[in-house]
Amino acid sequence: METGGPVPQEWCSEIGEVLLGSTPISHRITELGVDISRDYDGKNPVLVVVLKGSFVFAADLSRALTIPHRVEFIRARSYEGDKSTGAVQVTGLEGVDLANEHVIIVEDIVDTGLTLKALTKRLADLGAASVVTCSFLMKMTSRRQTNTPDVRYAAFDIPDKFVVGYGLDYDQRYRHLPFVGVVKK
Ligand code: XMP
Ligand code: MG
């Protein structure tokens, strides 16, 4: 399926390539909503949304679900600019009760998998009944670490490029783009 397209005129000076346009994104999220609603029927899952990058995806995914669910927000940081620092800081879990809950981590992108590994452990330690991940993007990369948790739901595989838009940033810019693109160097 062709998912890219031309760079909108107003972004031509900064964005070199559109990998995912807003129409394929919205179709794919509708499909994920159907899958998750079927798999979690009767389970009242908790979407644990990893800020900031997942805020746009989470808003669309939540509205694509037809089953009751709770939404919680946490922060995880491992990047400075466009480089992973390796260490994962998780904040915002204070006061979030996940005991015996079916947790779906909502991530923007899985790259090395280290963020996901750290998060899955933290949430399981809080006594969740189950913890799976729904990631908007999966980067096809040789940097993926071994022993990272399986990603149960993923919207798109993308090439090993630093991407922005649809929630993802470069130094806090471009989160509001309705498409996923690559910044010009
Ligand atoms: P790891 O390596 O832990 O990285 O799987 C996951 C987190 O790193 C950020 N990340 C990106 N952010 N464009 C971004 O804006 C990218 O191409 C990108 N690759 C990784 C992101 O915060 C993700 O949760
Ligand atoms: Mg980021």
Side-chain angles (χ1 to χ4, degrees):
M1 181 183 50
E2 179 56 48
T3 52
V7 178
Q9 181 76 45
E10 61 274 32
W11 291 105
C12 277
S13 62
E14 291 173 79
I15 303 293
E17 190 186 354
V18 171
L19 293 180
L20 303 169
S22 55
T23 304
I25 291 173
S26 117
H27 286 164
R28 184 69 188 111
I29 292 174
T30 302
E31 290 176 353
L32 284 178
V34 169
D35 290 349
I36 294 173
S37 299
R38 177 197 61 225
D39 296 349
Y40 282 82
D41 190 21
K43 289 188 171 167
N44 293 354
V46 183
L47 303 188
V48 174
V49 179
V50 187
L51 296 175
K52 298 177 189 174
S54 303
F55 81 107
V56 178
F57 177 48
D60 285 345
L61 183 69
S62 174
R63 290 177 295 173
L65 297 182
T66 54
I67 52 167
H69 59 282
R70 210 168 99 202
V71 184
E72 300 285 357
F73 297 94
I74 63 171
R75 295 285 295 265
R77 275 187 95 239
S78 64
Y79 265 58
E80 298 286 348
D82 64 358
K83 296 280 178 300
S84 177
T85 61
V88 182
Q89 295 170 286
V90 182
T91 54
L93 275 170
E94 316 77 41
V96 178
D97 183 7
L98 297 177
N100 304 313
E101 299 285 1
H102 293 284
V103 170
I104 303 174
I105 300 173
V106 180
E107 258 286 26
D108 52 355
I109 184 164
V110 175
D111 185 352
T112 63
L114 288 173
T115 304
L116 202 55
K117 193 171 178 178
L119 272 176
T120 303
K121 180 165 184 340
R122 284 289 292 275
L123 300 180
D125 287 349
L126 292 175
S130 64
V131 181
V132 306
T133 298
C134 178
S135 184
F136 175 51
L137 303 176
M138 298 294 292
K139 220 180 246 192
M140 294 183 286
T141 172
S142 56
R143 287 186 308 281
R144 187 94 81 247
Q145 305 290 301
T146 49
N147 299 325
T148 55
D150 287 341
V151 173
R152 176 79 57 87
Y153 306 98
F156 296 98
D157 289 330
I158 58 156
D160 193 359
K161 297 178 176 179
F162 191 84
V163 295
V164 298
Y166 198 73
L168 292 107
D169 70 304
Y170 176 70
D171 275 346
Q172 305 304 326
R173 293 196 59 203
Y174 307 113
R175 292 193 196 277
H176 61 113
L177 302 187
F179 55 85
V180 172
V182 181
V183 180
K184 282 186 178 171
K185 284 287 173 206

